[in-house]
Amino acid sequence: MFDPREVVSREKFAIMKCIIPVVSGKGGVGKSVVSTALSLALAERHKTGLLDLDFWGASAHILLNASDQFPEEEKGILPEEIRGVKFMSVSYYTQDKPLPIRGKEYSDAFLELMAVTRWNDIECLVIDMPPGMADPFLDLLQYVKNGSFLVITTSSRLSSNIVSKTLKILKEQNLKVLGLIENMRSVGDDSERIRDLANSFNVKHLGYIPYYHNLDIHLGNLQDFISTDFFQKIKAISMGLEI
Amino acid sequence: MFDPREVVSREKFAIMKCIIPVVSGKGGVGKSVVSTALSLALAERHKTGLLDLDFWGASAHILLNASDQFPEEEKGILPEEIRGVKFMSVSYYTQDKPLPIRGKEYSDAFLELMAVTRWNDIECLVIDMPPGMADPFLDLLQYVKNGSFLVITTSSRLSSNIVSKTLKILKEQNLKVLGLIENMRSVGDDSERIRDLANSFNVKHLGYIPYYHNLDIHLGNLQDFISTDFFQKIKAISMGLEI
Amino acid sequence: MHEWSLAEAVLKSSIKEAKKRNLKKLLEVKIVLGELQAIEEEIVKFSLDSLKKGTMAEEATFVFINEKATFKCRNCQNEWTLKEANINEESIKESIHFVPEVVHSFIRCTRCGSPDFEVVEGRGIYIDEITGEDL
Amino acid sequence: MHEWSLAEAVLKSSIKEAKKRNLKKLLEVKIVLGELQAIEEEIVKFSLDSLKKGTMAEEATFVFINEKATFKCRNCQNEWTLKEANINEESIKESIHFVPEVVHSFIRCTRCGSPDFEVVEGRGIYIDEITGEDL
Ligand SMILES: Nc1ncnc2c1ncn2[C@@H]1O[C@H](COP(=O)(O)OP(=O)(O)O)[C@@H](O)[C@H]1O
Ligand SMILES: Nc1ncnc2c1ncn2[C@@H]1O[C@H](COP(=O)(O)OP(=O)(O)O)[C@@H](O)[C@H]1O
Ligand SMILES: [Mg+2]
Ligand SMILES: [Mg+2]
Ligand SMILES: [Mg+2]
Ligand SMILES: [Mg+2]
Ligand code: NI
Ligand code: NI
Ligand SMILES: [Zn+2]
Ligand SMILES: [Zn+2]
């Protein structure tokens, strides 16, 4: 008795040249806005995919204004292409209803999506992760051995404390870390905390992004999102990523 | 073959007069700062406990400046008492290291903590929940039948979309909802979104809390935290709660 | 027609398992189809028969076993069947066909209304056993 | 001495189960103690003997079964024992004694280093069976 989806899922990830899981451990630090902006920025230069693995708090479909139709089927499922980004999310199938599922069920849904999605020739897959260090994070470590992790934090010690735990696991598991983005920085925030955190794990501090009071009103309309300073910041950071 | 911890855990919750799970679904909206402030405010009038059930992103121990010693043992475990709040968190036992555990393991740790913690005569238990709708949320629904839920959101549609899913489940399960707190509001945020959300689920909008640029620098020192406007806002809201 | 990708998964993983067992040829693959996912047996069969060409499964027969879906509530222990769940809307059936776990977005325990239930049997596709020749 | 609360849990749940089975008296409770949690059998026994007075378990004997702890890696399938895990520091043992799951904060798969492992057996305390009289 065995599960046919495991082998193909593992293989699909293994052959990808560039996988960027956007992680933190902490919630609400900007993983979804960063990963969505990053995939849009990368898509200007590479064939790019975006996979939303936050099944309980799916957000990227809102930012991308994704269709409410099922993605096309053709020997599998073809991700919807939005402004050059091939996008897959469980939100296509929940009809925007709550998805109260336990970790074991998450793992099953994750394998299912991976087994049937045809990413075809994408060069770079950005993965938007949920917070925490439960089944989604552990499944990622098990199925994606070749990720280049992008770690998001805010300047707050409530975030850095948790992010340091994520960095500890990534480093201990010898995974590649592209660096740390310090998001939602305010004037007056401790300017050393996150730099020290990055240094202590020997990862790059990739830059600060200010707290933009009006970012939220630009979300939901893609053209609007791309015209924000936030997007330009992420685009600039994306240029320097070692991918 | 059966688990001795289930019966006693269920019973411990069942006999409590007032249980306030602080939930959202969305991460980073302020569940931990709100629940910690709320427990401190309630402790001025009632015997209050605070239980941090975010095992992956434990935060309340930082806000409360909890001890790094094990809580006292006496026919069970006695929560540490901090400024009148009886506090329990898994952080006492992880030595601030990462806790990479799956949902099934979360449930086991949750039952273990509940079975051995002696809350004694507390009148009100505030529960700080992790984001998501996975094992922690489903365990809460299974073990706590008498909760009065406090729901936290920001003004952003990225938050309201997820919070509406949480409200949907709470309402559908006929659970008591104290109301919705709109946290981190900025000038310019859509002033109707959260009010409409509250109305559509027939729950109270309990108030706005502004985005305080300097809140984070006041965290970690309890006296400092209590002197913030943020704390005063939560205290004011706590006065009006129907508990 | 997303069944094709599941057929690919079945073939790849069966061949991998066969190699692990030092088999030289695959003769039979027993595939369980869970009622919840409602996979079209004919399409999987057709896909497998065309995918197997030129592989060690070229002569293999694919046997299908249908498994009824049952649910069990973690809140009240009630058990019920897919039929009793009474899912009628086509778009919901289609959603579950793609990702069976989204059933938690659409149905509740038939006794207590809890969303916290388990799919005990009949979730989706898996391989029950493979047989082959080792020479 | 947090064992007392676990003893309370054992007694309460055994009595509840006995009532469910319409027993009038509890005669024996078989308790499994998992090695990982390192619960003091003597303390649990002592607590149970003092807690049982005046309950339907007054005449019950408490039998203890010790279960060795074993781990299995979800990443590489490696299995190992608590002894092989080699946990020496007292404060770590103590932490695990209170919440066995925090073992994931302190040990890794002995082969591949993964934190993603299961405690297959010997986690903690549970009740194997109860026997009693129905009159
Ligand atoms: N630099 C920023 N300035 C202002 N708001 C931001 C910034 N980055 C993120 N946000 C807002 O913070 C909230 C959380 O972001 P989100 O991407 O959903 O985080 P996560 O995916 O980590 O939970 C959203 O409302 C988002 O619009
Ligand atoms: N009203 C507010 N103004 C400014 N910052 C806030 C406010 N409320 C919360 N924060 C900050 O937002 C971050 C997330 O809060 P936290 O309580 O950890 O959220 P959660 O528990 O929901 O993940 C923390 O850094 C916290 O200090
Ligand atoms: Mg997100
Ligand atoms: Mg804002
Ligand atoms: Mg929190
Ligand atoms: Mg700040
Ligand atoms: Ni199909
Ligand atoms: Ni003890
Ligand atoms: Zn039920
Ligand atoms: Zn291993």
Side-chain angles (χ1 to χ4, degrees):
Chain A
M1 207 163 100
F2 55 93
D3 188 332
R5 303 166 305 166
E6 291 181 11
V7 172
V8 289
S9 299
R10 235 178 269 281
E11 205 173 87
K12 279 188 190 183
F13 285 121
I15 59 167
M16 289 185 188
K17 293 250 163 40
C18 153
I19 302 179
I20 308 182
V22 178
V23 301
S24 170
K26 179 71 183 157
V29 295
K31 292 179 294 299
S32 295
V33 282
V34 170
S35 52
T36 303
L38 179 63
S39 64
L40 290 164
L42 290 175
E44 297 177 7
R45 294 174 288 141
H46 306 283
K47 289 179 183 151
T48 302
L50 174 62
L51 173 61
D52 188 346
L53 288 185
D54 189 349
F55 293 175
W56 301 278
S59 298
H61 67 292
I62 299 175
L63 296 166
L64 289 177
N65 228 314
S67 158
D68 53 11
Q69 307 291 306
F70 293 127
E72 219 179 302
E73 283 184 84
E74 196 199 299
K75 294 191 170 180
I77 295 178
L78 297 178
E80 185 185 354
E81 193 163 327
I82 304 171
R83 233 189 142 93
V85 175
K86 289 192 173 168
F87 177 57
M88 183 46 80
S89 166
V90 80
S91 64
Y92 289 112
Y93 306 107
T94 55
Q95 304 183 11
D96 222 28
K97 289 195 160 51
L99 185 60
I101 54 172
R102 290 181 177 265
K104 176 65 193 68
E105 287 146 0
Y106 168 90
S107 297
D108 247 323
F110 162 69
L111 278 180
E112 196 69 36
L113 266 192
M114 275 314 294
V116 301
T117 303
R118 288 180 57 199
W119 295 102
N120 285 335
D121 54 352
I122 57 166
E123 293 158 334
C124 210
L125 180 67
V126 178
I127 304 180
D128 185 13
M129 288 294 293
M133 213 176 256
D135 303 73
F137 184 73
L138 294 171
D139 281 345
L140 187 76
L141 297 194
Q142 222 184 93
Y143 284 91
V144 182
K145 300 297 185 188
N146 52 336
S148 300
F149 289 77
L150 185 61
V151 185
I152 318 295
T153 185
T154 68
S155 315
S156 170
R157 64 152 40 91
L158 288 190
S159 175
S160 63
N161 176 268
I162 296 167
V163 171
S164 75
K165 292 170 185 170
T166 301
L167 282 167
K168 195 157 201 291
I169 296 284
L170 295 178
K171 281 301 198 171
E172 152 205 312
Q173 299 293 312
N174 293 312
L175 292 161
K176 183 172 169 190
V177 178
L178 293 175
L180 201 55
I181 293 183
E182 183 172 353
N183 191 20
M184 301 199 234
R185 196 179 160 84
S186 293
V187 180
D189 278 336
D190 181 341
S191 63
E192 293 307 316
R193 181 179 297 121
I194 304 305
R195 211 162 261 296
D196 290 350
L197 179 67
N199 288 339
S200 71
F201 284 100
N202 199 19
V203 304
K204 278 194 188 160
H205 188 300
L206 295 168
Y208 307 97
I209 302 176
Y211 187 87
Y212 297 110
H213 271 288
N214 58 354
L215 180 62
D216 279 301
I217 48 185
H218 295 291
L219 306 181
N221 174 314
L222 199 46
Q223 194 51 52
D224 225 20
F225 184 48
I226 284 173
S227 66
T228 56
D229 289 346
F230 176 85
F231 180 77
Q232 293 308 322
K233 286 266 181 192
I234 296 295
K235 188 169 168 177
I237 288 174
S238 80
M239 302 287 190
L241 292 181
E242 286 165 10
I243 50 176
Chain B
M1 207 162 100
F2 57 92
D3 188 333
R5 303 167 306 167
E6 291 180 11
V7 173
V8 290
S9 300
R10 234 178 271 281
E11 205 173 88
K12 278 188 191 184
F13 286 120
I15 59 168
M16 289 184 187
K17 293 247 164 41
C18 154
I19 301 180
I20 308 181
V22 178
V23 302
S24 170
K26 178 72 185 158
V29 294
K31 293 179 293 298
S32 294
V33 283
V34 169
S35 52
T36 304
L38 179 63
S39 64
L40 290 163
L42 290 175
E44 297 176 6
R45 297 174 287 142
H46 306 283
K47 289 178 182 154
T48 303
L50 175 62
L51 172 61
D52 188 346
L53 287 185
D54 189 349
F55 293 176
W56 301 278
S59 298
H61 67 291
I62 300 175
L63 296 166
L64 288 177
N65 229 315
S67 158
D68 54 10
Q69 307 290 305
F70 292 125
E72 221 179 299
E73 283 183 83
E74 197 199 299
K75 294 191 170 177
I77 296 178
L78 297 179
E80 185 184 356
E81 193 164 327
I82 304 171
R83 233 190 142 93
V85 175
K86 290 192 171 167
F87 177 57
M88 182 45 81
S89 166
V90 79
S91 64
Y92 289 112
Y93 306 108
T94 55
Q95 303 183 11
D96 221 28
K97 290 193 160 51
L99 185 61
I101 55 172
R102 289 180 179 265
K104 177 67 194 67
E105 287 146 359
Y106 167 90
S107 297
D108 247 324
F110 162 70
L111 278 180
E112 195 70 35
L113 266 192
M114 276 314 294
V116 301
T117 303
R118 289 179 57 199
W119 295 102
N120 285 334
D121 54 353
I122 57 167
E123 292 158 334
C124 210
L125 180 67
V126 179
I127 304 180
D128 185 13
M129 288 294 293
M133 212 175 259
D135 304 75
F137 184 73
L138 294 171
D139 281 344
L140 188 76
L141 296 195
Q142 220 181 97
Y143 284 91
V144 183
K145 301 296 185 186
N146 52 335
S148 300
F149 289 78
L150 185 61
V151 185
I152 318 295
T153 185
T154 68
S155 316
S156 169
R157 64 154 38 91
L158 288 191
S159 175
S160 63
N161 175 268
I162 296 165
V163 170
S164 74
K165 293 172 184 169
T166 301
L167 282 168
K168 194 156 202 290
I169 296 284
L170 295 179
K171 280 302 198 168
E172 149 204 316
Q173 299 293 310
N174 293 311
L175 292 160
K176 183 173 168 188
V177 177
L178 293 175
L180 201 55
I181 293 183
E182 183 172 353
N183 191 19
M184 302 200 229
R185 196 178 159 82
S186 293
V187 180
D189 278 336
D190 182 341
S191 62
E192 293 307 316
R193 183 179 295 122
I194 305 305
R195 214 162 259 295
D196 290 350
L197 179 65
N199 288 340
S200 71
F201 284 99
N202 199 19
V203 304
K204 278 194 187 163
H205 187 300
L206 295 167
Y208 307 97
I209 302 175
Y211 187 88
Y212 297 111
H213 271 289
N214 58 354
L215 179 63
D216 280 303
I217 49 186
H218 296 290
L219 306 180
N221 176 312
L222 199 45
Q223 194 50 52
D224 225 20
F225 184 48
I226 284 172
S227 67
T228 57
D229 289 345
F230 176 84
F231 180 77
Q232 293 308 323
K233 286 266 183 193
I234 295 297
K235 189 169 166 178
I237 289 174
S238 80
M239 303 288 190
L241 291 180
E242 285 166 10
I243 49 175
Chain C
M1 271 297 290
H2 90 294
E3 273 81 351
W4 179 275
S5 56
L6 293 171
E8 276 183 317
V10 166
L11 193 70
K12 267 201 183 160
S13 58
S14 300
I15 289 177
K16 187 159 182 175
E17 182 66 24
K19 284 185 179 158
K20 222 203 272 173
R21 297 189 198 167
N22 286 316
L23 299 177
K24 297 280 167 287
K25 247 188 201 177
L26 256 175
L27 294 181
E28 193 183 84
V29 181
K30 270 209 185 99
I31 302 161
V32 179
L33 296 180
E35 185 191 15
L36 182 60
Q37 193 168 19
I39 288 178
E40 296 258 17
E41 182 178 318
E42 281 315 304
I43 306 181
V44 178
K45 210 171 147 51
F46 168 84
S47 311
L48 282 168
D49 284 333
S50 91
L51 283 162
K52 73 181 182 183
K53 285 175 194 138
T55 74
M56 68 183 284
E58 177 123 34
E59 296 163 39
T61 324
F62 300 97
V63 180
F64 293 89
I65 302 162
N66 292 296
E67 200 177 86
K68 288 274 167 201
T70 56
F71 307 94
K72 183 173 179 183
C73 180
R74 296 190 185 98
N75 185 51
C76 79
Q77 317 311 319
N78 173 37
E79 301 194 30
W80 70 99
T81 64
L82 182 58
K83 207 177 155 205
E84 289 164 324
N86 212 2
I87 303 172
N88 295 314
E89 221 177 288
E90 274 314 312
S91 73
I92 295 180
K93 287 187 187 170
E94 190 80 354
S95 294
I96 295 171
H97 172 61
F98 290 120
V99 183
E101 281 61 44
V102 302
V103 70
H104 289 88
S105 295
F106 302 110
I107 75 169
R108 296 291 177 257
C109 170
T110 52
R111 183 157 73 197
C112 77
S114 170
D116 189 11
F117 58 84
E118 195 184 338
V119 182
V120 185
E121 283 203 313
R123 174 203 174 275
I125 195 168
Y126 66 90
I127 294 158
D128 187 46
E129 59 176 292
I130 57 169
T131 34
E133 260 179 32
D134 48 10
L135 223 199
Chain D
M1 270 297 291
H2 91 293
E3 272 82 351
W4 179 275
S5 56
L6 293 170
E8 275 182 318
V10 166
L11 193 71
K12 268 203 184 157
S13 59
S14 299
I15 289 176
K16 184 156 183 178
E17 181 66 24
K19 285 184 180 160
K20 219 200 275 173
R21 296 189 199 167
N22 286 316
L23 300 177
K24 297 282 167 282
K25 246 188 201 179
L26 257 174
L27 295 181
E28 193 184 85
V29 180
K30 270 208 185 105
I31 301 161
V32 180
L33 296 179
E35 185 190 16
L36 182 60
Q37 194 169 18
I39 288 178
E40 297 259 17
E41 182 177 318
E42 280 315 304
I43 306 182
V44 178
K45 210 174 149 51
F46 168 84
S47 312
L48 283 168
D49 284 332
S50 90
L51 283 161
K52 74 181 180 185
K53 283 174 195 138
T55 75
M56 68 182 284
E58 178 123 36
E59 295 163 39
T61 325
F62 300 96
V63 179
F64 292 89
I65 303 161
N66 292 296
E67 198 178 88
K68 289 274 169 201
T70 56
F71 307 95
K72 182 171 181 186
C73 180
R74 295 191 186 97
N75 185 52
C76 80
Q77 317 310 320
N78 173 37
E79 300 195 32
W80 71 100
T81 64
L82 182 58
K83 207 176 154 208
E84 290 163 325
N86 212 2
I87 303 171
N88 295 313
E89 220 177 289
E90 274 314 311
S91 73
I92 295 181
K93 285 186 188 171
E94 191 80 352
S95 293
I96 295 172
H97 172 60
F98 290 119
V99 183
E101 282 61 44
V102 302
V103 69
H104 289 88
S105 295
F106 301 110
I107 75 168
R108 296 291 176 257
C109 170
T110 52
R111 183 158 72 197
C112 77
S114 170
D116 188 11
F117 58 83
E118 194 182 340
V119 182
V120 184
E121 283 201 314
R123 174 203 173 276
I125 194 168
Y126 66 90
I127 294 159
D128 187 43
E129 59 177 294
I130 58 170
T131 34
E133 259 178 34
D134 47 11
L135 227 203

